Amino acid sequence: MDDYLLTFETDEEGEQVFVHGDPAGLEYFAKRLLEIAGKAKAGDFPHEHYFTNEWGGNELSSEQQSEKGRLINHVKVYGWPTVDGGRPYSKT
C-alpha cells in the first residue's frame, strides 16, 4: 500500500458510511473518482475496486479509525453515463 490513509467504515447498523483519509489518501481517491467520471461522461461504464491488503489489494488502509465502526474491506465504484444509473442495465 502506498503511504496514505484511506478507509471506509460503516456504523454498527450499516446505515451510515464514513470515509477517513489523510490529504494524500483523499487526493488519491478524488483523482480516481475524476477518472471514472471522465470515462462515464464519454459514454463508458467504468468501475473500479478498492481493497484492503487482507482482501488482496493495496488501495485501502486496514486500520479501523472508529472504535464502534466496521471496516469495509472492499469498495466498488461504478460510473454511469446518465442520471438513471444502473437501472436501465439491471436484470431485475
Side-chain angles (χ1 to χ4, degrees), residues 1-2 4 28 50-61:
M1 154 144 210
D2 291 325
Y4 60 78
Y28 163 78
Y50 303 88
F51 296 100
T52 59
N53 190 13
E54 291 78 6
W55 278 49
N58 64 354
E59 301 84 13
L60 298 178
S61 306

Side-chain angles (χ1 to χ4, degrees), residues 29-40:
F29 191 56
K31 179 181 175 186
R32 302 304 301 162
L33 288 176
L34 288 172
E35 290 172 1
I36 293 169
K39 291 176 183 177

Side-chain angles (χ1 to χ4, degrees), residues 29 31-50 75-82 85-86 89:
F29 191 56
K31 179 181 175 186
R32 302 304 301 162
L33 288 176
L34 288 172
E35 290 172 1
I36 293 169
K39 291 176 183 177
K41 194 179 218 181
D44 291 337
F45 301 86
H47 73 276
E48 288 206 4
H49 297 264
Y50 303 88
V75 173
K76 187 172 182 180
V77 178
Y78 293 91
W80 300 109
T82 71
Y89 313 102

